[in-house]
Amino acid sequence: GESVGLHLPTLSVQEGDNSIINCAYSNSASDYFIWYKQESGKGPQFIIDIRSNMDKRQGQRVTVLLNKTVKHLSLQIAATQPGDSAVYFCAEILITSGTYKYIFGTGTRLKVLA
Amino acid sequence: KAGVTQTPRYLIKTRGQQVTLSCSPISGHRSVSWYQQTPGQGLQFLFEYFSETQRNKGNFPGRFSGRQFSNSRSEMNVSTLELGDSALYLCASSLDRGPSEAFFGQGTRLTVV
């Protein structure tokens, strides 16, 4: 069936290094992708989104890359900081006749080492 | 500007009971979406309301329902609770309907015993 998954359940990164979190999706017709950050005890926080007609989008210290050929999505965090420690997950949205189908990945825990 | 407020934060219910959760969106936001988050299934979309109408619905049984009021506040109801309904229920609000930058509340932790 359709699924959105993450390659690594836990990622440990040294403070100051760049982090790359990956996500695979199975529905090539998906129109829209979002990355979320969720800190312990809090609700998810929108980080960045990208439409299927784009292959790269940059935000503040974050970049999302979309490779439709291999159905792969990645989130790059530059100069990772302790405050970046959280669970990150991707979401895939399929838009059909004005309705939206959301599929969320299970999440990758990012640990920033001092 | 106040964020998304969900009440109550924690709730314990018995199997078979029903429960109502409340969500107050950010002022000016007209879209409210509900999600269920569990360790096993992750985050799953329940439904979205915009201008008091359900616009999108996830793949959940009819026991899960919701509504939105004219002031955009929303409630979700789960009837005939099952043990598997134990989860963190999250509400998110956004200016417009559909996928866009949504702001989540801290959630309501429901435990069914």
Side-chain angles (χ1 to χ4, degrees):
Chain A
E2 297 166 346
S3 64
V4 175
L6 293 168
H7 297 308
L8 300 173
T10 304
L11 177 66
S12 295
V13 176
Q14 204 68 38
E15 181 179 355
D17 287 351
N18 296 336
S19 302
I20 300 176
I21 300 170
N22 298 302
C23 178
Y25 65 93
S26 58
N27 193 332
S28 58
S30 288
D31 302 281
Y32 191 80
F33 303 87
I34 303 175
W35 277 102
Y36 293 95
K37 171 187 180 183
Q38 188 171 20
E39 296 175 89
S40 182
K42 296 184 179 180
Q45 177 187 349
F46 173 99
I47 301 173
I48 192 168
D49 58 2
I50 188 168
R51 295 196 177 276
S52 60
N53 60 355
M54 302 169 69
D55 52 23
K56 180 179 180 179
R57 190 163 188 220
Q58 288 185 291
Q60 192 174 22
R61 277 201 311 119
V62 295
T63 301
V64 56
L65 298 177
L66 176 62
N67 186 330
K68 292 181 284 293
T69 302
V70 295
K71 289 183 282 188
H72 184 265
L73 189 70
S74 70
L75 176 70
Q76 300 179 3
I77 304 173
T80 312
Q81 302 169 359
D84 294 329
S85 292
V87 173
Y88 291 81
F89 57 92
C90 61
E92 169 185 12
I93 296 102
L94 178 65
I95 303 173
T96 307
S97 302
T99 63
Y100 303 83
K101 181 177 180 181
Y102 298 81
I103 304 170
F104 294 92
T106 53
T108 291
R109 182 173 301 281
L110 177 65
K111 291 185 178 179
V112 181
L113 308 173
Chain B
K1 193 174 186 182
V4 177
T5 304
Q6 290 189 247
T7 56
R9 287 293 311 279
Y10 303 92
L11 204 51
I12 299 176
K13 288 286 189 177
T14 304
R15 217 169 15 164
Q17 287 186 313
Q18 68 92 28
V19 67
T20 299
L21 311 180
S22 179
C23 173
S24 293
I26 291 173
S27 178
H29 285 193
R30 295 192 295 165
S31 174
V32 174
S33 300
W34 287 90
Y35 303 82
Q36 182 195 67
Q37 188 173 39
T38 60
Q41 298 293 321
L43 193 66
Q44 296 183 87
F45 172 74
L46 280 157
F47 28 64
E48 177 192 12
Y49 285 87
F50 182 83
S51 295
E52 303 178 65
T53 302
Q54 187 180 92
R55 301 292 183 171
N56 284 285
K57 189 177 188 305
N59 195 25
F60 276 81
R63 298 186 299 108
F64 292 81
S65 63
R67 59 177 175 168
Q68 186 180 33
F69 303 96
S70 58
N71 62 358
S72 294
R73 191 178 71 84
S74 177
E75 291 181 344
M76 69 161 281
N77 184 279
V78 188
S79 62
T80 320
L81 283 166
E82 300 177 0
L83 296 178
D85 296 333
S86 295
L88 179 67
Y89 289 89
L90 292 157
C91 161
S93 78
S94 57
L95 279 169
D96 297 311
R97 60 167 299 206
S100 59
E101 185 168 358
F103 296 84
F104 282 80
Q106 288 189 288
T108 294
R109 173 74 62 186
L110 172 65
T111 302
V112 182
V113 297

